[in-house]
Amino acid sequence: MGNMAADNAAGKRINSLLDAGSFVEIGGAVTARTTDFNMQEKETPADGVITGYGVIDGNLVYVYSQDATVLNGAIGEMHAKKISNIYDMAMKMGAPVIGLVDCAGFRLQEATDALEAFGKLYQKQSMASGVIPQITAIFGTCGGGLSIVPALTDFTFMETKNGKLFTNTPNAIPGNDISKCDTSSAKFQSETTGLVDGIGSEEEILADIRSLVCMLPSNNEEDSSYEECNDDLNRVCADLANAKEDTAIALTMISDDNIFCEVKKAYAKDMVTGFIKLNGMTVGAVANRSKVYNEEAEVEAEFDGSLSADGAEKAAEFVQFCDAFNIPVLTLTNVSGFTASEYDEKRIAKSAAKLTYAFADATVPKVNVVIGKAFGSAYVTMNSKAVGADMVYAWPEAEIGMMDANQAAKIMYADADAATIREKAAEYKNLQSSPLSAAKRGYVDTIIEAADTRKYAIGAFEMLFTKREDRPVKKHGTV
């Protein structure tokens, strides 16, 4: 029974995603139950969605895949209930849910029944948040109320050519039409809204999901994100200092076997977020970035080293995910302050507050490595000792303080000549901005050579493995 026998796109996606022969369909005989508007005359095999379970590299996952050949993939009551049932099972077993979306929207013939059933799905997703990982992949249309589904999940992927994600269609936005700005495109949703973590072809997306599932624990209690490490734990990363500008490269160099699974890669590129492996353990990584290099070592984008509103929110969401699933967090800090622009000024205070709260509230092991500048409140926000970092390391060339030493000297000695300014700047740097001065005050635990960063990070997380930390009793924070 069901749609797997039809060997259509929905079924093929499931077979491509899961280990060969592992998929077991659930609810294949379910069909629409409404008879209004002559619906009984229409065939709705599996009510337009294939649901079931299987394994990815031996890890149990639950999957639903929408079938666009059944009423154009429109969602009806039983369609939504089948997905809700998968969530119930996933919560009982403690396994991720992966949704493969290709849908025309709600089924008009079922109206309130469809809305009620889909509202229940929202509720299931909300209850599953922070308990099991949720992943969505968009291969066709995901519009209107369905756009809330990927927003409620942890990670979203989108097919570049046919994927469409929108709440309101591009032509419904006043002053816009799709020829001006396609707000439903994968490019817009990944680069501008930050809702989509990765884009690509169907094959690339499914491969990325498989890789991500293998990096993540199955739930918030049972940690299966460990594997044997064959890389040298004391491996020296000789050229790591040269990757200070593009920390995506630096994180790749630090990680076991150079594995780095970056999320939200196209959004807020001044902030890098993703998962690495250290001694076989999954670690969430957050890092400031000032330059983006392509595979030909050419500069694709350049930033001023400040913390942007988008970057802060991107990092905050990522840290909260890691904390929910007991994934340790590593930060590489190189920040000169907050981004000064009209766009950022509207949101930076709130965004920075969210990031500060995320780090302060997280009880997982937290390690910070200051690799460059660490100035002002932006430094404090970036997992400093003050907001709860368990271990803080600094490279010898790092600068930690209120601001650049030259700028501080000019403010403190506004009427002095250039020679005096230079002298006082050097004095200020030595007394207030050097990593040694921060270490003397206990704000930095150890000054390390850049090449030894991997060794020290592994050692710190091993020491912090049994960390236990309580928080004040409350329902939840409000930041």
Side-chain angles (χ1 to χ4, degrees), residues 11-181:
K12 288 179 180 178
R13 287 169 186 149
I14 291 177
N15 288 330
S16 297
L17 174 67
L18 303 179
D19 293 353
S22 70
F23 180 67
V24 177
E25 186 173 6
I26 298 172
V30 173
T31 59
R33 70 185 185 92
T34 184
T35 58
D36 294 344
F37 304 103
N38 297 319
M39 276 290 290
Q40 71 274 15
E41 298 178 3
K42 298 180 180 179
E43 290 289 332
T44 59
D47 207 34
V49 61
I50 304 170
T51 56
Y53 64 92
V55 295
I56 292 178
D57 199 21
N59 300 297
L60 174 66
V61 296
Y62 288 83
V63 183
Y64 67 88
S65 182
Q66 293 178 318
D67 184 358
T69 65
V70 178
L71 299 179
N72 294 317
I75 296 174
E77 176 194 13
M78 301 307 292
H79 181 126
K81 284 184 175 180
K82 285 183 65 177
I83 301 174
S84 294
N85 180 55
I86 287 297
Y87 266 91
D88 287 337
M89 296 187 71
M91 289 284 280
K92 290 177 184 177
M93 309 308 165
V97 173
I98 303 171
L100 310 180
V101 176
D102 187 356
C103 174
F106 292 118
R107 202 172 291 169
L108 295 178
Q109 297 93 329
E110 299 187 34
T112 52
D113 288 333
L115 287 172
E116 174 68 15
F118 213 73
K120 292 287 179 65
L121 175 57
Y122 292 162
Q123 197 265 351
K124 300 290 186 184
Q125 285 189 278
S126 300
M127 294 301 100
S129 180
V131 181
I132 55 173
Q134 302 178 65
I135 302 171
T136 303
I138 301 167
F139 298 100
T141 302
C142 179
L146 190 61
S147 65
I148 299 173
V149 169
L152 283 171
T153 59
D154 300 305
F155 303 99
T156 300
F157 297 86
M158 195 168 172
E159 200 273 332
T160 308
K161 184 178 180 181
N162 298 314
K164 297 292 180 183
L165 173 59
F166 57 88
T167 304
N168 297 294
T169 64
N171 293 335
I173 300 172
N176 185 62
D177 62 65
I178 197 167
S179 63
K180 289 183 180 179
C181 180

Side-chain angles (χ1 to χ4, degrees), residues 345-462:
E345 193 61 27
K346 295 175 182 177
R347 302 168 48 238
I348 188 62
K350 187 64 175 178
S351 299
K354 288 181 179 179
L355 181 56
T356 304
Y357 179 83
F359 278 124
D361 191 54
T363 59
V364 294
K366 294 171 287 188
V367 175
N368 185 19
V369 183
V370 181
I371 64 173
K373 296 178 180 179
F375 291 155
S377 299
Y379 150 64
V380 176
T381 293
M382 280 295 300
N383 195 26
S384 66
K385 182 76 79 171
V387 296
D390 298 298
M391 291 294 293
V392 177
Y393 299 111
W395 290 359
E397 299 79 18
E399 299 177 67
I400 305 170
M402 284 295 295
M403 61 181 67
D404 177 77
N406 291 320
Q407 187 178 358
K410 289 178 182 178
I411 294 173
M412 294 167 60
Y413 301 93
D415 299 326
D417 57 29
T420 302
I421 294 293
R422 286 194 297 271
E423 178 186 345
K424 295 301 180 182
E427 182 181 358
Y428 186 92
K429 185 173 183 178
N430 182 55
L431 294 175
Q432 292 290 335
S433 298
S434 69
L436 181 59
S437 67
K440 287 179 177 179
R441 293 167 170 82
Y443 310 143
V444 169
D445 294 297
T446 309
I447 299 171
I448 64 173
E449 294 298 326
D452 294 329
T453 301
R454 169 178 163 81
K455 176 176 68 176
Y456 276 94
I458 289 174
F461 285 122
E462 284 186 347

Side-chain angles (χ1 to χ4, degrees), residues 120-357:
K120 292 287 179 65
L121 175 57
Y122 292 162
Q123 197 265 351
K124 300 290 186 184
Q125 285 189 278
S126 300
M127 294 301 100
S129 180
V131 181
I132 55 173
Q134 302 178 65
I135 302 171
T136 303
I138 301 167
F139 298 100
T141 302
C142 179
L146 190 61
S147 65
I148 299 173
V149 169
L152 283 171
T153 59
D154 300 305
F155 303 99
T156 300
F157 297 86
M158 195 168 172
E159 200 273 332
T160 308
K161 184 178 180 181
N162 298 314
K164 297 292 180 183
L165 173 59
F166 57 88
T167 304
N168 297 294
T169 64
N171 293 335
I173 300 172
N176 185 62
D177 62 65
I178 197 167
S179 63
K180 289 183 180 179
C181 180
D182 186 359
T183 54
S184 66
S185 68
K187 178 180 174 64
F188 182 87
Q189 293 294 335
S190 61
E191 296 180 5
T192 305
T193 70
L195 183 56
V196 172
D197 291 274
I199 63 175
S201 66
E202 186 167 311
E203 293 75 17
E204 290 170 337
I205 288 173
L206 295 174
D208 287 345
I209 293 175
R210 286 183 60 88
S211 298
L212 179 60
V213 167
C214 294
M215 294 288 282
L216 301 177
S218 295
N219 55 66
N220 65 339
E221 293 181 349
E222 180 184 339
D223 196 332
S224 59
S225 59
Y226 296 87
E227 59 186 35
E228 183 180 355
C229 175
N230 297 314
D231 200 350
D232 182 1
L233 303 186
N234 295 313
R235 174 166 55 82
V236 174
C237 304
D239 298 322
L240 189 61
N242 296 330
K244 180 176 71 173
E245 295 174 326
D246 192 343
T247 44
I249 298 174
L251 290 169
T252 303
M253 295 172 67
I254 293 170
S255 181
D256 297 348
D257 301 315
N258 304 126
I259 296 170
F260 179 43
C261 182
E262 188 173 359
V263 297
K264 288 184 170 44
K265 184 176 182 178
Y267 179 67
K269 293 183 178 181
D270 59 298
M271 183 70 75
V272 179
T273 55
F275 300 101
I276 63 173
K277 287 283 188 180
L278 291 176
N279 193 15
M281 176 175 63
T282 296
V283 173
V286 177
N288 306 112
R289 176 162 58 182
S290 56
K291 288 184 180 179
V292 181
Y293 290 94
N294 61 21
E295 294 180 356
E296 286 75 38
E298 299 170 335
V299 177
E300 282 189 345
E302 193 166 354
F303 311 99
D304 62 4
S306 61
L307 179 62
S308 69
D310 288 344
E313 289 197 8
K314 171 182 175 180
E317 290 181 4
F318 182 77
V319 171
Q320 288 176 326
F321 174 85
C322 291
D323 187 49
F325 289 94
N326 300 307
I327 299 172
V329 175
L330 170 70
T331 51
L332 302 183
T333 298
N334 184 11
V335 63
S336 59
F338 296 117
T339 302
S341 72
E342 183 178 350
Y343 172 83
D344 285 279
E345 193 61 27
K346 295 175 182 177
R347 302 168 48 238
I348 188 62
K350 187 64 175 178
S351 299
K354 288 181 179 179
L355 181 56
T356 304
Y357 179 83

